[in-house]
Amino acid sequence: MGDVLSTHLDDARRQHIAEKTGKILTEFLRFYEDQYGVALFNSMRHEIEGTGPPQAQLLWRKVPLDERIIFSGNLFQYQEDNKKWRNRFSLVPHNYGLVLYENKVAYERQVPPRAVINSAGYKILTSVDQYLELVSNSLPGTTSKSGTTPILKCPTQFPLILWHPSARHYYFCMMTEAEQDKWQAVLQDCVRHCNNGIPEDSKVEGPAFTDAIRMYRQSKELYGTWEMLCGNEVQILSNLVMEELGPELKAELAPRLKGKPQERQRQWIQISDAVYRMVYEQAKARFDAVLSKLQLARPAMEAVIRTDMDQIITSKEHLASKIRASILPKAEVCVRNHVQPYIPSILEALMVPTSQGFTEVRDVFFKEVTDMNLNVINEGGIDKLGEYMEKLSQLAYHPLKMQSCYEKMEPLRLDGLQQRFDVSSTSVFKQRAQIHMREQMDNAVYTFETLLHQELGKGPTKEELCKSIQRILERVLKKYDYDSSSVRKRFFREALLQITIPFLLKKLAPTCKSELSRFQELIFEDFARFILVENTYEEVVLQTVMKDILQAVKEAAVQRKHNLYRDSVVMHNSDPNLHLLAEGAPIDWGEEYGGGGDSSGDSSSPGVPEAATLSEKRRRAKQVVSVVQDEEAGLPFEAVPEPLSPASPDSITELRGLLAQDLRAESPPLANGAPVQESPQSMAAPEAAPPPASPPASPLQQLPPGKAVDLEPPKPSDQETGEQVSSPGGRPPIHTTTEDSTGVQTEF
C-alpha cells in the first residue's frame, strides 16, 4: 500500500491537493460566515416571537439512554493487510459507533478495541456482486473479465460490506442468512444515526452550515437534493471537497494505475481513502478555526440584534417587498405551470409509506405493552415489573424490533418526478422519516413509563396494576395519534419544500438572479450581517409555493387520509400535570423494582447472576439486544484459522494466559493498515489490576487526528472518517481515554 501511495501521491501532488482543498474551503467558509449572522438573527427572532409547532402531547426523554449497548455479537472481518478473514467480537454502543474487539474475552477484560467505525455516508451492501458493480462504476475501464479473480472473495454466502464513495471500505461476513439480516438491520441503524450528525438542538451553527452548503452548491449550478449531506460538519465538508476534487484526481491518476483490473481497483480505493483523510484533516482545522472566530464574535452580534431587532425586521420586510414586486409575477407563473400540478402526486407518494411506518410504530408499541401486561398477569407479577420495564424502555433503540417500522419506508418512490425535480435519491426522505419514527416511539415509551411510575406510587395489587397498564396504554395511544399526525404533517411540508424549492430556484435563475445585485443598496450597512439579498429572495420564492403546499396537506387532513388530524384539532392542556412529572429524576427500573436489566452480553444470559457484585453490575453496560455466537466457530474454506480463545476457560489464569497470547499474536492495525508496535505495558501480566468498580461518565471521545504514533497508547489515524484504534488503560468496555480530556465528543 505504501508503494502505491508514494508513487501516486508524491509531495508535489499532495501539495496540489492541499492547495485545491484550501481554495474550496475558503470559498465555502465565506458562505458560512455570511449565513452565521442570518441564522443568529433568525434564531433570536424566533425566540422572541415564540412561533412554533403545537405543543406535543407525549413527553420526551431529557436524559438519553447512555451506557446502553444496542447490539453485540460475532462477525468475520476481512483484513486487507494480510488478506485473511478474522473473527471479531463486535458491539454497537449508544452512540452507534461500531466497535470491534479481538474477541469477547478481550472485551470482558477491558482490552482496548481494535477499531471504532463511524458509518456516516456509507451504504450497506449484502452481496459481492453489488459491491463489484459499485467499484467498477467508480473507476471506469476496470471491469473484470469473466473468470478472473475479483477484488474480493467472500468465504460464505452472507457478506455485509460498508461502501463509501471516497473513504475506505469494510468487509464483513456471517455464517447464516439470519445473522446477516440481523447485522444488516443493526448497521443500517448505525448509518441512519451517524448520517444525522448535526445536532437537532443546534439553532444557529446547524442552519448556518446547511444553508451555506446549499448556497455554495447553487453557486456551482448544483441544485436539488445532495446524497452526501450526511455526518457531522467536517465529514460533510470533506464530502463537498471530494465532490469536486475526486473526479479531477480520477481523470489524472486512473490511466497511470498498473496491473489487472482488480488490482487497479484496489489501488484506487487506497488512493481515494488517503486523499479523503488528507482533506478531512485540512477541513477540520479550517472549519474549527472559523467556528471559533464566529463564536467569539457572537456576543457582540447578539447585542446589536437585541438593540436593533425592530429596525432589522423593518429593513428586511422593506427589502422583501421590493424583491417580491420584481420577481413575483415570474415566480407565480413558474409555480402554476411547473410545480402546482405535481404537488398532490408527490404528497401521496410520501404519505403512503410514511403513514404505514408510523402505524407500525403504534402497533409495535401496543403489542410490546400488551405482552408485558400478560406477563405481569401470568408470570412474574409486580416482582418482575422492573425487568419488563427495563426492556420496554429500550424499545425505540432495538434495531430488530424497529425494523418492521423502518421497512415501510423502503417502497418510497417518486417515479417520473425524481428526474423532473432533480431528486438524486429518496434516501434523505426515508432516513428522516425513520428518525421521526424512532423519536415518536421513544416518546410514547417514556410517557408510558412516567405515567406507570406515578401509578405504582399508589401501591396497586397485581389485578389493579394490570387494569392501570391497560388504561395508561390507551391514554398514551391517543397522545401518540395526535403527535404522529403533527410530526407527519410537518415532515410532508418540509419534504415538499425540499423537493420543489431547488427546482424553482433553478428555473428562475436565468431571469431573476441577475436582478438581485441592485437590491443590495437597500440594506443598511449596520444590518448587512443579518440580512442577505440572496436569502430574502429565496424566502420570497418559498412563499409563492408555500400556500399550495399548506393547502395540499390541509386537504389531506380534512379528508382524514392516513389518520391525519385537521389543523383545527388542538389538544391544549389535555393533561396539564403530565409535563410536571417529566421534571423528576430519570427512572431506573432495575434499581427500584429489582429487575434484571443488566445483561451479561450473551443471549443465553438474560441478566447478571444474583451472586454478581455491585462493581460487576456497574462494569457491564446494559444491553438492548445481544446475539453473541460461538467464538470457536471458524469460517469454511479458511486454510489457516487463527486460534481463538475458548468461551469458558477452566481458570482465570488460563484465561489471562490465552489473552496475553492473543495480544502478542497480532498487533492492532491502524486505519491505513500499518501495524502498531505493542509496548510492554499493553501486554499486562496475569496479576494485572481488576477493572474499575464504576465507569467514567465520558462517552467515546474524539482523539486528535494527525499526531505521530507512540508505542503506548496507539493513536488513531482518524476517528471521524473511518477506523481507529483506541488507547488502553483503565476504561469501561465501551469507552476510550484520550490524552486531551477536552477533546470534541465523537458525533456518531
Side-chain angles (χ1 to χ4, degrees):
M1 178 176 174
D3 292 340
V4 172
L5 298 184
S6 61
T7 300
H8 297 288
L9 293 178
D10 54 19
D11 291 342
R13 196 173 307 282
R14 288 173 181 268
Q15 180 64 28
H16 171 73
I17 291 171
E19 291 174 356
K20 180 74 174 180
T21 301
K23 181 181 177 182
I24 296 172
L25 293 174
T26 298
E27 189 174 353
F28 166 80
L29 290 171
R30 281 201 296 268
F31 282 97
Y32 182 62
E33 292 187 57
D34 290 343
Q35 294 301 319
Y36 191 90
V38 176
L40 180 61
F41 167 74
N42 290 338
S43 174
M44 295 181 66
R45 181 179 181 180
H46 175 82
E47 183 180 334
I48 292 172
E49 295 179 350
T51 56
Q55 181 180 4
Q57 296 299 303
L58 295 171
L59 302 177
W60 55 276
R61 200 182 300 274
K62 296 181 180 179
V63 180
L65 294 176
D66 288 344
E67 296 180 8
R68 292 296 198 277
I69 294 176
I70 304 298
F71 197 82
S72 65
N74 283 70
L75 44 70
F76 290 92
Q77 182 189 16
Y78 181 69
Q79 301 293 302
E80 297 176 78
D81 51 353
N82 58 19
K83 296 182 172 57
K84 291 183 180 180
W85 292 84
R86 300 300 188 204
N87 193 6
R88 300 290 182 228
F89 176 70
S90 311
L91 59 86
V92 177
H94 67 278
N95 53 21
Y96 290 89
L98 178 62
V99 186
L100 302 177
Y101 287 88
E102 189 72 28
N103 48 46
K104 186 165 179 275
V105 175
Y107 162 67
E108 291 178 340
R109 298 304 302 165
Q110 303 192 51
V111 176
R114 292 185 62 89
V116 178
I117 300 173
N118 184 318
S119 55
Y122 279 84
K123 287 184 178 179
I124 311 297
L125 308 177
T126 56
S127 80
V128 175
D129 289 341
Q130 286 179 298
Y131 176 69
L132 296 179
E133 182 179 357
L134 283 173
V135 170
S136 298
N137 291 339
S138 66
L139 191 63
T142 59
T143 304
S144 301
K145 299 179 181 178
S146 59
T148 59
T149 304
I151 187 175
L152 176 70
K153 278 187 177 180
C154 185
T156 74
Q157 300 177 19
F158 313 107
L160 276 181
I161 301 171
L162 292 177
W163 178 88
H164 192 283
S166 302
R168 68 168 296 180
H169 306 158
Y170 297 93
Y171 313 100
F172 306 101
C173 72
M174 293 78 201
M175 299 299 295
T176 66
E177 185 177 4
E179 290 306 310
Q180 184 191 42
D181 291 342
K182 290 175 183 177
W183 275 107
Q184 183 184 6
V186 171
L187 294 180
Q188 196 62 59
D189 221 17
C190 293
V191 172
R192 186 181 302 114
H193 183 91
C194 293
N195 281 350
N196 193 40
I198 299 178
E200 296 285 340
D201 57 357
S202 175
K203 304 301 183 185
V204 177
E205 288 81 1
F209 184 83
T210 53
D211 285 347
I213 289 285
R214 181 171 48 79
M215 292 291 189
Y216 175 84
R217 297 187 78 246
Q218 287 176 185
S219 71
K220 306 294 182 182
E221 303 297 326
L222 296 172
Y223 294 82
T225 59
W226 185 39
E227 200 171 3
M228 292 308 294
L229 187 68
C230 46
N232 60 35
E233 290 90 343
V234 180
Q235 289 172 310
I236 295 171
L237 194 48
S238 302
N239 296 337
L240 186 74
V241 174
M242 291 301 293
E243 182 182 35
E244 189 170 339
L245 183 61
E248 176 186 315
L249 281 176
K250 189 182 301 182
E252 188 175 350
L253 295 180
R256 303 182 183 183
L257 301 178
K258 306 298 182 182
K260 297 179 180 179
Q262 61 270 24
E263 185 60 32
R264 298 204 302 274
Q265 291 169 351
R266 190 176 289 111
Q267 291 173 15
W268 173 249
I269 293 171
Q270 294 172 358
I271 293 169
S272 178
D273 176 61
V275 173
Y276 186 80
R277 292 173 184 279
M278 291 168 55
V279 168
Y280 177 88
E281 292 177 3
Q282 191 173 347
K284 179 171 173 41
R286 291 286 303 276
F287 179 75
D288 288 348
V290 170
L291 182 59
S292 297
K293 183 181 75 171
L294 290 170
Q295 289 174 339
L296 287 174
R298 179 168 174 168
M301 296 168 67
E302 288 177 342
V304 173
I305 293 172
R306 288 193 185 95
T307 303
D308 299 327
M309 174 67 78
D310 292 340
Q311 292 93 323
I312 297 173
I313 293 174
T314 302
S315 178
K316 182 177 178 180
E317 290 176 349
H318 177 66
L319 173 66
S321 66
K322 295 296 184 181
I323 295 176
R324 190 178 297 110
S326 174
I327 66 105
L328 189 60
K330 302 173 187 176
E332 287 181 338
V333 170
C334 190
V335 169
R336 186 166 57 251
N337 294 338
H338 301 289
V339 175
Q340 197 178 63
Y342 301 97
I343 289 178
S345 55
I346 299 174
L347 179 59
E348 186 66 22
L350 291 167
M351 281 198 301
V352 172
T354 305
S355 297
Q356 288 175 351
F358 276 85
T359 299
E360 184 69 12
V361 169
R362 190 186 198 276
D363 293 344
V364 170
F365 173 67
F366 176 84
K367 178 182 181 300
E368 292 293 322
V369 174
T370 303
D371 288 349
M372 183 195 73
N373 205 1
L374 292 174
N375 288 336
V376 170
I377 295 173
N378 299 327
E379 297 180 12
I382 298 179
D383 294 337
K384 298 284 284 183
L385 184 64
E387 179 184 339
Y388 299 149
M389 287 303 300
E390 189 72 42
K391 294 179 180 178
L392 183 67
S393 68
Q394 303 162 7
L395 177 59
Y397 304 92
H398 196 303
L400 305 182
K401 291 184 178 179
M402 290 295 294
Q403 183 64 11
S404 62
C405 309
Y406 299 149
E407 285 175 346
K408 300 295 183 182
M409 286 302 299
E410 293 308 316
L412 174 61
R413 299 287 185 274
L414 297 175
D415 295 332
L417 299 172
Q418 270 186 246
Q419 293 77 18
R420 179 178 185 84
F421 290 98
D422 197 17
V423 179
S424 60
S425 171
T426 58
S427 61
V428 61
F429 306 113
K430 293 177 183 178
Q431 292 189 13
R432 191 69 209 150
Q434 290 164 345
I435 289 170
H436 284 316
M437 291 175 197
R438 183 175 62 199
E439 290 172 347
Q440 289 302 298
M441 175 67 89
D442 195 44
N443 292 350
V445 168
Y446 182 59
T447 305
F448 179 85
E449 287 185 72
T450 305
L451 292 172
L452 181 60
H453 190 259
Q454 180 191 40
E455 191 69 22
L456 290 170
K458 303 175 183 178
T461 64
K462 183 167 78 170
E463 290 73 17
E464 291 172 340
L465 176 62
C466 294
K467 292 180 181 178
S468 296
I469 288 175
Q470 184 62 31
R471 186 175 64 253
I472 293 171
L473 173 61
E474 293 173 357
R475 188 173 164 189
V476 172
L477 287 176
K478 289 180 180 177
K479 296 178 182 297
Y480 173 83
D481 289 340
Y482 179 81
D483 281 8
S484 163
S485 174
S486 300
V487 169
R488 282 180 290 144
K489 287 192 291 185
R490 185 169 69 250
F491 167 71
F492 296 148
R493 291 192 290 264
E494 291 173 354
L496 284 167
L497 286 173
Q498 199 169 350
I499 292 169
T500 58
I501 290 298
F503 172 80
L504 279 173
L505 293 174
K506 186 177 181 179
K507 279 280 186 183
L508 293 170
T511 57
C512 295
K513 287 201 72 171
S514 59
E515 301 179 13
L516 296 181
S517 58
R518 62 188 177 91
F519 296 108
Q520 186 64 41
E521 61 186 24
L522 299 177
I523 303 174
F524 291 117
E525 186 177 350
D526 293 344
F527 304 154
R529 297 200 68 176
F530 315 118
I531 306 174
L532 297 179
V533 172
E534 187 78 16
N535 289 65
T536 309
Y537 162 70
E538 290 195 0
E539 289 177 15
V540 171
V541 174
L542 182 148
Q543 291 164 6
T544 61
V545 72
M546 191 63 183
K547 60 180 181 293
D548 293 309
I549 290 174
L550 292 175
Q551 184 63 30
V553 176
K554 181 180 179 180
E555 289 176 359
V558 168
Q559 297 171 18
R560 292 304 302 270
K561 283 187 176 182
H562 308 291
N563 202 29
L564 290 175
Y565 285 11
R566 297 190 305 275
D567 293 342
S568 58
V569 178
V570 181
M571 297 175 66
H572 286 307
N573 298 321
S574 61
D575 215 342
N577 297 322
L578 180 60
H579 287 269
L580 298 178
L581 296 176
E583 299 300 324
I587 304 168
D588 190 330
W589 293 100
E591 289 292 332
E592 289 192 40
Y593 295 94
D598 280 355
S599 171
S600 65
D602 196 316
S603 57
S604 62
S605 303
V608 174
E610 293 180 359
T613 63
L614 179 60
S615 62
E616 177 69 10
K617 288 184 179 180
R618 288 178 176 176
R619 187 177 72 82
R620 296 182 182 277
K622 295 177 180 178
Q623 301 207 21
V624 176
V625 59
S626 173
V627 286
V628 182
Q629 294 80 42
D630 182 6
E631 292 192 27
E632 293 183 356
L635 275 173
F637 324 121
E638 190 171 20
V640 185
E642 183 183 25
L644 298 172
S645 301
S648 302
D650 295 333
S651 67
I652 294 298
T653 304
E654 180 185 353
L655 184 151
R656 288 172 173 165
L658 289 168
L659 179 58
Q661 292 174 15
D662 272 345
L663 288 174
R664 295 187 189 101
E666 185 181 347
S667 60
L670 287 176
N672 61 6
V676 180
Q677 296 179 355
E678 293 285 334
S679 68
Q681 292 90 333
S682 66
M683 302 182 202
E687 291 77 17
S694 59
S698 61
L700 285 163
Q701 297 286 326
Q702 176 181 345
L703 301 180
K707 290 191 176 181
V709 177
D710 297 325
L711 293 181
E712 183 177 339
K715 297 293 191 298
S717 60
D718 191 344
Q719 180 168 1
E720 293 288 354
T721 58
E723 185 174 315
Q724 77 165 52
V725 180
S726 63
S727 58
R731 45 150 207 90
I734 61 172
H735 293 73
T736 62
T737 55
T738 69
E739 295 178 353
D740 181 9
S741 61
T742 62
V744 181
Q745 179 177 334
T746 305
E747 295 186 31
F748 284 115

